[in-house]
Amino acid sequence: MKTKILVTGALGQIGSELVPALRERYGADQVVASDIRMMSREELLRADGPFDFLDCTNQRQIQEVVQRHQVQTIYHLVALLSAVGESKPQVAWDVNMGSLYRVLEVARVNGCAVFVPSSIGAFGPGTPQDHTPQDTIQRPSTIYGVTKVAGELLCDYYHHRFDVDARGVRFPGIISYGAPPGGGTTDYAVEIFWEAIRHRHYTCFLKPDTRLDMMYMPDAVKAAIDVMEADPARLVHRNSFNVTGMNFTPRELGAEICKHIPDFKMEYRIDPVRQEIADSWPNSLDDSAARREWGWNPRYDLPAMVRDMLENLEKKLAAEEVHHAN
Ligand code: AKB
């Protein structure tokens, strides 16, 4: 991979963990973090490399940052997620498609490679629900999904038409203890850990048997790096590869947490909007194309993820309490 890297949406759930991983791998100065939000004092203190304010719907700003830092690869993480997208579809289109189009244009002019995350949201009610194949029906029913399918196609177009090295993966729900996700349908699988540790109780907005694929953040970061480092000669697909780490329902996740916190209790108050979105997504993905074409091999299953999440989140919350007490 060309290693002068720009990450957009760097302060979000994925960006805040991808940036440190890229910096560790390629060098702190090689990775420019950017976001439309300015960093807080704590974030500034923790930052160990360059940061730029960047509104990705403004092509001139992207061009200026890419030129100033001589960027060769762009990780474009800016996007509104599925549930928040449904509450403001026009904004979701403007942000998700407007920013992607402008990033691809800047990449075309400057010869950059581009990573773009797609999602299980790129599938819809007409897609085969179990072991969803790499190449299949994609007729999503959310604006988020529409932008993800259109984004996959646009990335392929820029590759065929302009030789832009655009690659991506279809992420399932991502679980992490760093920056929280915002406005996703799979967010329950993150919130549940905070509530389990703090209150021994979680009210879930999806039905107990809603089965979805998920992935622990270290595997998501690994996927984003590995697909960009993959030998292009081996890639039959590009935008975007099915990837998955594990598969569970809210009930199964709750039962796994109970093994560590025996008095943990769950109840259910269904959010009809997010339930309908989840029901339109696959139960499980077939990620064999990613395994075959670039060696995708996740490290965390459900028990390993739950153990690691609880251990690290307990430490993080304890450290925050000490910090607030001082
Ligand atoms: C969401 O729930 O919207 C995202 C996703 C699966 O793309 N986490």
Side-chain angles (χ1 to χ4, degrees), residues 133-301:
Q134 174 66 39
D135 302 304
T136 186
I137 299 162
Q138 290 184 266
R139 308 288 290 178
S141 50
T142 62
I143 189 68
Y144 175 68
V146 170
T147 66
K148 288 299 169 190
V149 177
E152 290 183 11
L153 292 172
L154 196 61
C155 287
D156 273 340
Y157 179 77
Y158 268 72
H159 176 243
H160 294 134
R161 178 79 168 79
F162 303 121
D163 206 24
V164 172
D165 186 4
R167 307 181 189 185
V169 295
R170 293 183 186 130
F171 279 131
I174 295 177
I175 300 161
S176 65
Y177 55 87
T185 302
T186 57
D187 292 8
Y188 90 84
V190 180
E191 291 171 6
I192 192 172
F193 287 95
W194 262 259
E195 298 302 309
I197 292 173
R198 284 187 175 138
H199 307 299
R200 303 318 203 221
H201 181 272
Y202 178 60
T203 305
C204 185
F205 57 77
L206 293 184
K207 290 183 189 163
D209 293 323
T210 310
R211 182 167 294 286
L212 291 168
D213 273 352
M214 300 278 174
M215 184 181 289
Y216 196 32
M217 184 61 91
D219 281 327
V221 165
K222 185 168 123 66
I225 294 175
D226 287 357
V227 75
M228 293 308 283
E229 286 189 348
D231 175 0
R234 284 181 62 196
L235 298 184
V236 179
H237 300 86
R238 267 170 187 269
N239 302 288
S240 283
F241 286 94
N242 285 359
V243 286
T244 178
M246 63 196 79
N247 182 271
F248 56 75
T249 64
R251 197 200 309 275
E252 288 165 1
L253 177 57
E256 194 61 38
I257 291 174
C258 268
K259 291 182 186 164
H260 302 263
I261 307 177
D263 56 343
F264 174 62
K265 295 272 177 306
M266 267 177 98
E267 59 180 320
Y268 297 87
R269 197 176 310 131
I270 308 313
D271 170 4
V273 173
R274 285 183 284 190
Q275 186 64 51
E276 194 181 334
I277 296 174
D279 289 342
S280 77
W281 289 352
N283 299 327
S284 63
L285 296 184
D286 170 3
D287 62 2
S288 54
R291 289 174 185 269
R292 206 169 43 243
E293 293 177 39
W294 48 276
W296 165 242
N297 190 13
R299 283 177 295 207
Y300 286 87
D301 60 8

Side-chain angles (χ1 to χ4, degrees), residues 24 45 59 67 89 94 96 135 218 224 257 266 274 307 318:
E24 194 178 316
L45 289 173
Q59 196 168 321
Q67 212 163 13
D94 278 351
N96 294 10
D135 302 304
I257 291 174
M266 267 177 98
R274 285 183 284 190
R307 206 177 316 114

Side-chain angles (χ1 to χ4, degrees), residues 7-27:
V7 180
T8 73
L11 300 181
Q13 188 197 10
I14 301 179
S16 59
E17 307 217 16
L18 180 63
V19 168
L22 291 170
R23 285 187 173 150
E24 194 178 316
R25 194 168 179 86
Y26 305 115

